[in-house]
Amino acid sequence: MDVIKITPRGYCYGVVDAIQLAKQVARDPSTPKPVYVLGQIVHNRHAVESLTALGIITLDGANRVELLERIAQGSVVFTAHGVSPAVKQRAREKGLHCVDATCPDVTRTHDLVRALAARGYDIIYIGKKGHPEPEGVLGEAPGRVRLVESEADVAALAIGGERVAVTTQTTLSKWDTERLLQLIRQRYPHVEVYNEICDATQRRQEAAVAQSHAADLVIVVGDRRSNNSNRLVEVVTKLASRPAYLIDNAEELRPEWLVGVRRVAVTSGSSTPSEITREVIRRLEAWPVEVTTAAVG
Ligand code: SF4
């Protein structure tokens, strides 16, 4: 099988730093133990398992303040998605050693929201409900930030103030947000727009769209919970008009997808470890194109 290895793909600097930081804490004899991570360090099962192997305990769940209550002592790592000030404060109150692995790009959104709220703005935040990143951002200015995910959410907005701003979750796609931005502009023509989709997400999506055109099929390697991996499937399907499948690892490759396929493109989310993607590429390169086609014919 001819395999197009889309670049850039895979781990972004925010993810690399978060994982390294957590591992450093686990290996450092001077940091209080046990070491907990509040939520998945990044949304990838393999990355989480690599931390578990070092004795790091991942506490998974939507409400981070509640998760904190399960910790009696030790160190707590805040993930790359960021946490709200309330979570940080509660961790300090509990006397936990806090390690902040929030990606600098997410921190920038937190800073922006705080600054806008301080200047009296009502803030609309385009993001995914139930994802930890919006939870952290909303906590920067409780009551001042409205999370919208759909056109219905935009229609339901009721903002009376003169100062309105809109910003976005870092791992969305600009194509994703365009329609909602258009609707928000119609409702609030004076809205100030702050696009916070991060560079790593944007470049992976643009590369996936540009480099998929030459392929019959696209495989995205990533966890089903990974927002940026799901967005890669979406942009390839919508903008490159190619079939695309999200798989967690090489075992999930399905022979029927590859029937009649001569060239496949592979990319991966920014939370997917490289070795998982490399194994997918190895399997595909060894895939017998003629045999697969003949088997069906
Ligand atoms: Fe940071 Fe973007 Fe990576 Fe998220 S996807 S960790 S915001 S660089």
Side-chain angles (χ1 to χ4, degrees):
M1 179 76 66
D2 190 6
V3 180
I4 300 167
K5 303 165 193 78
I6 294 174
T7 52
R9 64 172 185 275
Y11 273 5
C12 58
Y13 72 93
V15 164
V16 170
D17 288 355
I19 292 172
Q20 271 179 1
L21 196 54
K23 288 182 175 175
Q24 267 168 25
V25 175
R27 289 182 178 129
D28 182 350
S30 70
T31 55
K33 303 292 185 300
V35 178
Y36 295 88
V37 180
L38 215 54
Q40 294 196 350
I41 187 83
V42 293
H43 284 154
N44 189 278
R45 175 172 67 84
H46 307 280
V48 172
E49 286 169 2
S50 73
L51 300 189
T52 308
L54 294 174
I56 298 172
I57 302 161
T58 294
L59 295 176
D60 207 3
N63 187 319
R64 305 213 160 197
V65 175
E66 278 174 23
L67 290 180
L68 267 181
E69 300 311 324
R70 296 196 215 157
I71 306 176
Q73 60 181 26
S75 299
V76 61
V77 180
F78 304 135
T79 70
H81 309 104
V83 293
S84 68
V87 171
K88 290 182 183 170
Q89 188 187 333
R90 183 67 189 126
R92 281 194 297 268
E93 284 165 5
K94 287 178 70 87
L96 301 172
H97 174 66
C98 299
V99 181
D100 193 352
T102 305
C103 173
D105 286 9
V106 177
T107 302
R108 198 181 59 196
T109 313
H110 283 237
D111 295 344
L112 171 71
V113 164
R114 245 192 347 269
L116 288 168
R119 288 163 52 208
Y121 278 78
D122 284 299
I123 302 146
I124 303 165
Y125 180 88
I126 304 176
K128 295 286 166 194
K129 291 174 184 169
H131 191 278
E133 188 179 323
E135 183 191 315
V137 173
L138 264 64
E140 287 291 350
R144 302 301 298 271
V145 192
R146 273 87 158 177
L147 174 61
V148 297
E149 186 178 350
S150 64
E151 295 186 13
D153 292 338
V154 175
L157 285 170
I159 299 173
E162 274 305 300
R163 295 182 162 195
V164 185
V166 57
T167 186
T168 60
Q169 188 171 333
T170 56
T171 48
L172 299 183
S173 78
K174 69 176 179 192
W175 302 285
D176 230 4
T177 54
E178 254 164 23
R179 175 72 187 138
L180 291 184
L181 280 176
Q182 196 184 7
L183 292 174
I184 291 167
R185 280 198 181 98
Q186 279 168 13
R187 293 212 53 199
Y188 305 101
H190 53 294
V191 69
E192 291 178 22
V193 180
Y194 297 88
N195 178 1
E196 288 292 306
I197 295 170
C198 76
D199 190 51
T201 295
Q202 188 66 38
R203 290 197 299 123
R204 277 158 186 69
Q205 289 171 1
E206 283 170 356
V209 172
Q211 295 167 44
S212 289
H213 286 289
D216 304 311
L217 171 77
V218 180
I219 298 293
V220 178
V221 190
D223 195 291
R224 282 174 190 80
R225 285 182 62 180
S226 160
N227 192 44
N228 70 79
S229 301
N230 281 296
R231 298 289 75 74
L232 283 170
V233 172
E234 196 176 87
V235 296
V236 165
T237 313
K238 279 191 193 161
L239 298 160
S241 302
R242 290 291 178 275
Y245 296 105
L246 177 66
I247 60 169
D248 177 75
N249 60 66
E251 302 307 318
E252 292 190 357
L253 279 173
R254 301 246 294 270
E256 61 268 30
W257 296 341
L258 297 156
V259 171
V261 168
R262 300 207 156 262
R263 186 177 277 180
V264 59
V266 176
T267 186
S268 54
S270 55
S271 48
T272 309
S274 314
E275 60 270 24
I276 308 290
T277 310
R278 272 200 296 271
E279 179 55 22
V280 171
I281 291 171
R282 261 196 301 273
R283 293 269 186 107
L284 287 169
E285 283 178 334
W287 207 277
V289 175
E290 293 80 6
V291 173
T292 311
T293 312
V296 168

